[in-house]
Amino acid sequence: MMRYGLGTAGATLAGGVPGARARGGGAPSPVIMPASRRPRELPQPRLLRSADGVLDVRLTAAPAVVDMGAPRLVRTYTWNKVVPGYTWEIRPGDLLRVRLRNRLPYLPPPKVMVMDRPHEWTHTNLHTHGLHVSPSGNADNVFLDIPPGGEHRYEIPVPHDHPGGLSWYHPHRHGGVTQQLRAGMAGMLIVRGEIDRVPEVRAAAEKVMVLQSIQLGDDYQLLDPIPDPAPDQAFFPRAHALYTVNGVLRPRLRMYPGEVQRWRLLNAADSTFLSLHLNQHDFHVLAWDGLTLAEPDTTGVVMLSPGNRVDLLVRAGRAGSYDLVLTPGSSQQPDIPGMPGSAAALPGPRGMAMPGFPPFDEELARRTVLTVHVTGHGRPMGLPDSLPAWNPPVLPISRRRNFAFTVQREPDHAFLSFGVDGVPYDPAAPPYRIPLGTAEEWTLVNAFDPKLMNHAHVFHIHVNPFRITRINGRVLDKPLWRDTFVLPKLAGDSLTFESNFTDFPGKFVEHCHMTSHEDLGMMSAIEVVARSGGPA
Ligand SMILES: [Cu+2]
């Protein structure tokens, strides 16, 4: 077990003065000017597209001053000085080459490194979330560490049979994931494929929408985490949370009546569920997590856990203005449409009050994140009846595993402990080993002392997506393929899912994608082992 009681050893902020307001930027303080507050058209991140089988990317982590349409310019950490990062577009069989340079500020090392507290949050690395690629060597290897001033060259071969769909990239350096996601360091990663050739999908204008929760201090500057907070502080302090779409507050988007657009949404917030509804419109869902459904699923609300992507079609109705709203079910304890144990049925306040945070009632009231202006005229457009489903067979199950995401309060310290099976992440612990070429069925249980606050979690495993067959023991009519899925919030709630481990030996991780839970220890290592012996 890791011990705490470090005093302020790890709590010296980047400004050098314990307890002082952290300076996230590291650059000389500019005069902070009011930013533009006029409504802006939804921008699209710059597109970097592969050519001749290669996408060559220069990715630089750096502080920057960004105009998000907030009352002030925002000083934060970025990829390439923009929020979100550029969109990368590749094809199956491509080679993705990334030269990652870390220009985030140097922090004095903590006297004691604690694996289940925020630490070294200006170190970074790269995770290609959703890509079915190798976790080893210079590929999607989240055990790599790129310290400030360092650089690394990634080479990620993408399989020829990779499904077309929506993935994303973000830092995954344990101890600093939350800090870099809440700063805005994330970008979309599109794999082109069969779904893009469906005539109705192809005809629709494509809009990428990176949804983020940018968390800032009073002066709209990123604050440092506090590894050892006082009772009136939080690990990840903030005064403002900006719910942005492609880095802009409340942008607008034009459509004409009868127009069908393809919206490609990502929840890149560090720890917030986002339940979205477009007033007076339906969503026609094509794919979750880059995995195409057999037919469009028509729904009024899409609930994205942190890390989820959804690809959908929207058909504009009559002329008018329509808000895309975060419903009150967006919170750290989400309403999950159609799911047993949904918060809708439960009495009492939805949010939990934590010292150092604005009350959730206030922060997660119904709010508009984007406005659609339906105007003009054009050719009416159609919706597809069927889609090229991604639904591969699962091999016969060779082993069943039961495990738990655990939240405990230990008698000797003030904070909750987050872990897998009661143990916070320990890089020296042996990984859970799986023989290459097999499939397993896992049941994940939400385990915490019922006297504590409810905690929903979000299961994510790298490299291989999984097929959810049961929620709280109840068999689903249609199993769900995902790479990220909410674990409902009540003690004893469970998810049962199965997964193939048929290629890519190597070591990777499973964790809660509420990244504040992950940085606090809710992660463990997995190793897929080739039958001949050690990993390839
Ligand atoms: Cu969690």
Side-chain angles (χ1 to χ4, degrees), residues 405 418 456-458 512 514 517 522:
F405 277 176
F418 291 79
H457 301 290
V458 180
C512 182
M514 306 282 279
H517 298 179
M522 195 170 266

Short mmCIF file of all heavy atoms in Angstrom, two decimals, residues 405 418 456-458 512 514 517 522, ligand 1:
data_model
loop_
_atom_site.label_atom_id
_atom_site.label_comp_id
_atom_site.label_asym_id
_atom_site.label_seq_id
_atom_site.Cartn_x
_atom_site.Cartn_y
_atom_site.Cartn_z
N PHE A 405 -13.74 -1.87 -9.48
CA PHE A 405 -13.24 -0.51 -9.26
C PHE A 405 -13.64 -0.15 -7.83
O PHE A 405 -14.83 -0.19 -7.49
CB PHE A 405 -13.87 0.47 -10.26
CG PHE A 405 -13.20 0.51 -11.62
CD1 PHE A 405 -13.73 1.29 -12.64
CD2 PHE A 405 -12.03 -0.20 -11.88
CE1 PHE A 405 -13.13 1.36 -13.89
CE2 PHE A 405 -11.41 -0.14 -13.13
CZ PHE A 405 -11.96 0.64 -14.14
N PHE A 418 -8.59 5.42 -4.47
CA PHE A 418 -9.15 4.85 -5.69
C PHE A 418 -8.24 3.73 -6.16
O PHE A 418 -7.03 3.89 -6.17
CB PHE A 418 -9.25 5.93 -6.78
CG PHE A 418 -10.28 6.99 -6.48
CD1 PHE A 418 -10.01 8.02 -5.60
CD2 PHE A 418 -11.54 6.93 -7.08
CE1 PHE A 418 -10.96 8.99 -5.31
CE2 PHE A 418 -12.49 7.90 -6.80
CZ PHE A 418 -12.21 8.93 -5.91
N ALA A 456 -20.02 7.00 -10.07
CA ALA A 456 -20.01 6.32 -11.36
C ALA A 456 -18.56 6.28 -11.84
O ALA A 456 -17.76 7.15 -11.51
CB ALA A 456 -20.88 7.05 -12.36
N HIS A 457 -18.23 5.26 -12.62
CA HIS A 457 -16.90 5.16 -13.21
C HIS A 457 -17.04 4.91 -14.70
O HIS A 457 -18.15 4.74 -15.22
CB HIS A 457 -16.09 4.03 -12.57
CG HIS A 457 -15.91 4.20 -11.09
ND1 HIS A 457 -15.10 5.17 -10.56
CD2 HIS A 457 -16.44 3.53 -10.04
CE1 HIS A 457 -15.14 5.09 -9.24
NE2 HIS A 457 -15.95 4.11 -8.90
N VAL A 458 -15.91 4.90 -15.38
CA VAL A 458 -15.91 4.69 -16.82
C VAL A 458 -14.81 3.70 -17.16
O VAL A 458 -13.63 4.01 -16.99
CB VAL A 458 -15.67 6.03 -17.57
CG1 VAL A 458 -15.68 5.79 -19.07
CG2 VAL A 458 -16.73 7.06 -17.18
N CYS A 512 -10.09 3.66 -15.13
CA CYS A 512 -11.28 4.49 -15.14
C CYS A 512 -10.96 5.72 -15.99
O CYS A 512 -9.91 6.35 -15.82
CB CYS A 512 -11.64 4.91 -13.73
SG CYS A 512 -13.14 5.92 -13.68
N MET A 514 -12.69 8.48 -15.89
CA MET A 514 -12.77 9.69 -15.08
C MET A 514 -11.30 9.88 -14.70
O MET A 514 -10.80 9.21 -13.79
CB MET A 514 -13.60 9.47 -13.81
CG MET A 514 -14.99 8.93 -14.07
SD MET A 514 -16.10 10.21 -14.63
CE MET A 514 -16.53 10.97 -13.07
N HIS A 517 -9.92 9.98 -11.24
CA HIS A 517 -9.84 8.69 -10.55
C HIS A 517 -8.57 7.94 -11.00
O HIS A 517 -7.89 7.32 -10.19
CB HIS A 517 -11.07 7.83 -10.85
CG HIS A 517 -12.36 8.42 -10.38
ND1 HIS A 517 -13.58 7.80 -10.57
CD2 HIS A 517 -12.64 9.58 -9.72
CE1 HIS A 517 -14.55 8.55 -10.05
NE2 HIS A 517 -14.00 9.64 -9.55
N MET A 522 -6.86 4.58 -9.99
CA MET A 522 -7.80 3.59 -10.51
C MET A 522 -7.36 3.11 -11.90
O MET A 522 -7.97 3.41 -12.92
CB MET A 522 -9.21 4.18 -10.53
CG MET A 522 -10.31 3.15 -10.70
SD MET A 522 -11.95 3.88 -10.44
CE MET A 522 -12.21 3.53 -8.71
CU CU B 1 -13.75 6.19 -11.69
#
